[in-house]
């Protein structure tokens, strides 16, 4: 085959889709092969490409993830090994991607190249649930009081507290309802009822004007019109458009059921602005308006204290990431939605925008033409997301919040503490007495504010913060 005028390319092997639930951190490729062995050298070799899930590889623009370059002058041995540690940005692999190995050779007269063997190894970590089984020693009560005092002392020291990255797990957060999965639509679903007549009736009842761009957006969605960035395959395009129409219908449901009509103008304004852009902007704005309107109507009574804390922290991280994104856009002087998705798709901060960004394959262009480094955004976010910052978020968004439903969430937090009295606290007392003393003498101060050590205790129990160094008395971890 020919590779866009650069030379000959022969596909050696195309792998299976990479599995779900694995975070890939490194690649290693061993190759046995060489060029013609005489004259000039250094232009032949073996390349490893990533065929992105749902998209088509473009070897001329995406570039290889890694490459072995044959050079019989500097490396006459036919055995070659290359390795990458810390896959990020352009090289970040996602579930569903496939790896493709190709032999490359320039079209120079007399040049040739061969490959006999290729081995590719991926390094990464997978997530799985493990039951936590603990048993106290028989004589534990003799050490209970000093152990509890030591626990409280060490929980008040942020030098011994770390952020447990487990709570940034995308699968874990989805399982606990931190965000809703993208809507799947069954044929005939009531959520797929036509949006245009419904919206016209809603606006007529309220004598409210609608920006013209809204009707343009709905006409394109309901007719499945192909636009920039939309799949060329009609079935895939219909599936994506249907999910957007469902999100709009559910947004209107919440507006009507809750009477949030003062928000309708904001929602329509965002829809109208998005109508002029590509499908990725449609997707972003429709999802954002859905979250804005329905954020308090997702069955709060069924959520546990841990679910509520994870939701609040995720919302705060989204704000932090958005602020960092705006700073990056200012530095790069770039307001393109594909640049936004390039940034979101290159970080790991436990936010749903990361998942949405992977749908935009045009974001890869910025890995080639931009000097911006997503790793700087990742570093800034992790440096700002400290135990102290996490406690500030919990205090502001839960303990001191005045929004509707905030009191119910505060009661869930208190109930969590009530149900998790440390075994070493007054083990001889009656359960009710222990709970009261724990809540009002240990967890709260004189002004009935939760102490930092109580928040740390709860957040460590929820695996938001790490307590390894708190528990280890034998040395530094």
């Amino acid at each position: 085959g020919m590779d866009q005028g650069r030379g000959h390319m022969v596909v050696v092997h195309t792998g299976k889709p990479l599995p779900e639930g694995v975070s890939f951190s490194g690649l290693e490729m061993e190759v046995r092969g060489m060029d013609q062995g005489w004259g000039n050298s250094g232009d032949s070799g073996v390349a490893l490409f990533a065929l992105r899930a749902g998209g088509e590889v473009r070897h001329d623009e995406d570039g290889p993830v890694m490459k072995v370059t044959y050079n019989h002058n500097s490396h006459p041995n036919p055995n070659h090994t290359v390795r990458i540690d810390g896959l990020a940005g352009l090289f970040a692999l996602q579930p569903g991607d496939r790896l493709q190995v190709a032999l490359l050779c320039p079209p120079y007269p007399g040049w040739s190249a061969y490959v006999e063997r290729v081995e590719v190894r991926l390094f990464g970590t997978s997530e799985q649930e493990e039951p936590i089984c603990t048993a106290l020693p028989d004589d534990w009560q003799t050490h209970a009081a000093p152990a509890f005092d030591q626990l409280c002392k060490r929980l008040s020291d942020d030098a011994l507290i770390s952020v447990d990255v487990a709570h940034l797990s995308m699968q874990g957060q989805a399982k606990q309802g931190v965000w809703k999965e993208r809507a799947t639509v069954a044929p005939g679903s009531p959520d797929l009822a036509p949006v245009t007549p419904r919206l016209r009736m809603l606006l007529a009842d309220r004598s409210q004007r609608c920006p013209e761009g809204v009707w343009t957006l709905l006409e394109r969605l309901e007719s499945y019109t192909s636009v920039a960035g939309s799949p060329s395959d009609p079935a895939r395009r219909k599936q994506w458009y249907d999910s957007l129409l469902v999100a709009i219908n559910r947004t209107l449901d919440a507006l009507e059921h809750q009477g949030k009509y003062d928000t309708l103008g904001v929602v329509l304004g965002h829809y109208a602005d998005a109508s002029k852009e590509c499908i990725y902007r449609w997707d972003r704005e429709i999802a954002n308006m859905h979250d804005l309107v329905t954020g308090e109507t997702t069955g709060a009574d069924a959520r546990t204290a841990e679910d509520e804390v994870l939701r609040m922290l995720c919302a705060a991280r989204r704000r932090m990431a958005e602020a960092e994104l705006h700073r990056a856009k200012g530095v790069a002087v770039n307001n393109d939605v594909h640049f936004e998705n390039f940034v979101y798709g290159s970080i790991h901060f436990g936010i749903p925008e990361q998942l949405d960004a992977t749908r935009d394959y045009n974001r890869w262009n910025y890995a080639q033409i931009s000097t911006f480094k997503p790793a700087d955004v990742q570093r800034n976010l992790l440096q700002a997301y400290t135990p102290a910052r996490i406690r500030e978020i919990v205090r502001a968004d839960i303990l001191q919040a005045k929004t509707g439903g905030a009191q119910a969430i505060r009661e869930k937090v208190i109930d969590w503490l009530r149900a998790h009295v440390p075994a070493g606290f007054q083990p001889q007392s009656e359960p009710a007495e222990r709970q009261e003393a724990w809540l009002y003498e240990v967890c709260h101060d004189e002004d009935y504010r939760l102490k930092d050590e109580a928040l740390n205790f709860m957040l460590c129990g929820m695996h938001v913060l790490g307590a390894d160094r708190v528990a280890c008395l034998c040395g530094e971890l």
Side-chain angles (χ1 to χ4, degrees):
M2 293 298 294
D3 186 26
Q4 298 296 323
R6 291 194 317 217
H8 300 282
M9 184 187 76
V10 178
V11 174
V12 177
H13 180 73
T14 301
K16 297 179 180 179
L18 299 180
E20 298 283 347
V22 180
S23 176
F24 298 100
S25 58
L27 272 173
E28 183 177 84
M29 182 168 67
E30 291 186 3
V31 174
R32 180 174 177 80
M34 186 52 72
D35 60 17
Q36 72 283 351
W38 55 266
N40 292 328
S41 189
D43 286 336
S44 301
V46 172
L48 181 69
F49 295 95
L51 281 65
R52 301 298 171 180
E56 297 181 357
V57 70
R58 297 162 65 187
H59 299 98
D60 58 321
E61 295 185 9
D62 288 348
V65 175
M66 59 168 42
K67 181 180 178 182
V68 165
T69 299
Y70 295 162
N71 192 321
H72 60 257
N73 295 320
S74 61
H75 186 83
N77 191 323
N79 297 314
H80 315 264
T81 301
V82 290
R83 176 169 176 144
I84 294 178
D85 293 312
L87 295 170
L90 171 65
F91 305 119
L93 296 175
Q94 307 287 340
D97 292 352
R98 292 176 296 147
L99 297 179
Q100 185 179 85
V101 177
L103 175 64
L104 307 179
C105 184
Y108 309 148
W111 278 57
S112 63
Y114 73 93
V115 59
E116 294 180 352
R117 178 180 58 86
V118 179
E119 292 185 14
V120 178
R121 301 181 184 89
L122 288 89
F123 304 93
T125 56
S126 61
E127 300 175 3
Q128 66 182 55
E129 295 184 14
E130 293 288 347
I132 299 176
C133 302
T134 58
L136 293 172
D138 295 336
D139 63 342
W140 70 270
Q141 287 190 346
T142 62
H143 308 286
F148 178 77
D149 292 341
Q150 187 72 263
L151 172 67
C152 291
K153 179 181 178 181
R154 295 174 74 82
L155 279 172
S156 65
D157 185 358
D158 267 6
L160 302 178
I161 303 290
S162 60
V163 176
D164 189 340
V165 296
H167 81 283
L168 302 181
S169 162
M170 307 300 284
Q171 287 185 326
Q173 291 185 94
K175 183 176 181 179
Q176 293 193 250
V178 175
W179 61 74
K180 286 189 174 183
E181 297 289 345
R182 182 174 296 274
T184 56
V185 189
S189 168
D191 285 326
L192 260 181
V195 178
T196 298
R198 177 184 183 181
L199 181 59
R200 290 191 185 280
M201 184 177 299
L202 177 62
L203 293 171
D205 290 342
R206 300 190 54 79
S207 300
Q208 185 168 348
R209 296 185 61 186
C210 181
E212 188 61 32
V214 174
W215 307 120
T216 301
L217 174 64
L218 293 179
E219 191 277 330
R220 291 176 176 176
L221 283 172
E222 293 178 335
S223 63
Y224 306 110
T225 301
S226 180
V227 297
S230 63
S232 56
D233 176 41
R236 289 179 54 213
R237 184 167 64 249
K238 182 178 185 302
Q239 182 181 29
W240 194 345
Y241 283 25
D242 281 349
S243 72
L244 298 180
L245 290 168
V246 166
I248 294 174
N249 263 323
R250 291 177 179 175
T251 302
L252 296 179
D253 286 343
L255 280 167
E256 292 180 306
H257 294 162
Q258 294 193 359
K260 290 186 174 181
Y261 295 112
D262 56 335
T263 312
L264 180 57
V266 176
V267 172
L268 296 179
H270 280 265
Y271 288 172
D273 290 342
S275 68
K276 309 169 188 176
E277 308 292 342
C278 63
I279 190 173
Y280 304 106
R281 178 64 73 181
W282 295 5
D283 193 288
R284 176 76 57 81
E285 296 301 335
I286 291 172
N288 285 345
M289 292 303 98
H290 176 273
D291 293 348
L292 173 69
V293 176
T294 67
E296 298 174 3
T297 61
T298 53
D301 289 343
R303 291 195 293 264
T304 65
E306 183 176 358
D307 297 337
E308 299 287 8
V309 168
L310 291 176
R311 286 181 67 246
M312 295 298 180
L313 291 177
C314 181
R317 289 196 305 274
R318 294 176 75 177
R319 294 193 297 269
M320 293 171 65
E322 184 177 17
E324 193 63 28
L325 171 66
H326 286 305
R327 187 199 65 80
K329 289 163 65 176
V331 171
V333 194
N334 193 318
N335 198 40
D336 181 33
V337 66
H338 303 302
F339 180 76
E340 294 181 13
N341 288 332
F342 171 59
V343 175
Y344 279 130
S346 303
I347 63 174
H348 176 54
F349 201 45
I351 56 177
E353 284 80 1
Q354 295 169 213
L355 300 176
D356 294 336
T358 61
R359 296 163 61 91
D360 180 4
Y361 299 101
N362 291 318
R363 75 187 193 278
W364 295 113
N365 294 331
Y366 282 101
Q368 303 287 342
I369 65 177
S370 176
T371 58
F372 171 76
K373 298 179 180 178
D376 294 340
V377 173
Q378 178 79 56
R379 183 182 61 254
N380 294 341
L381 290 172
L382 293 181
Q383 286 178 349
Y385 195 59
T386 62
R389 180 66 179 275
I390 291 173
R391 289 196 304 271
E392 289 177 7
I393 295 168
V394 173
R395 289 193 185 281
D397 296 347
I398 295 180
L399 301 180
Q400 299 168 2
K402 301 185 183 300
T403 56
Q407 181 59 34
I409 299 176
R410 282 192 287 272
E411 291 173 358
K412 291 180 183 181
V413 169
I414 298 302
D415 287 342
W416 190 97
L417 290 169
R418 193 189 304 275
H420 291 81
V421 181
F425 178 69
Q426 299 182 6
Q428 305 297 340
S429 300
E430 292 295 324
E433 294 179 5
R434 290 181 67 233
Q435 286 183 349
E436 293 302 304
W438 160 248
L439 278 176
Y440 301 112
E441 297 175 15
V442 178
C443 294
H444 290 84
D445 60 19
E446 295 178 353
D447 298 323
Y448 198 63
R449 294 178 71 255
L450 271 181
K451 298 177 182 178
D452 282 352
E453 49 264 44
L455 280 178
N456 283 344
F457 175 78
M458 180 185 73
L459 294 168
C460 287
M462 294 178 175
H463 297 283
V464 172
L465 298 181
D468 291 346
R469 297 180 66 192
V470 171
C472 180
L473 304 179
C474 302
E476 298 298 324
L477 290 179

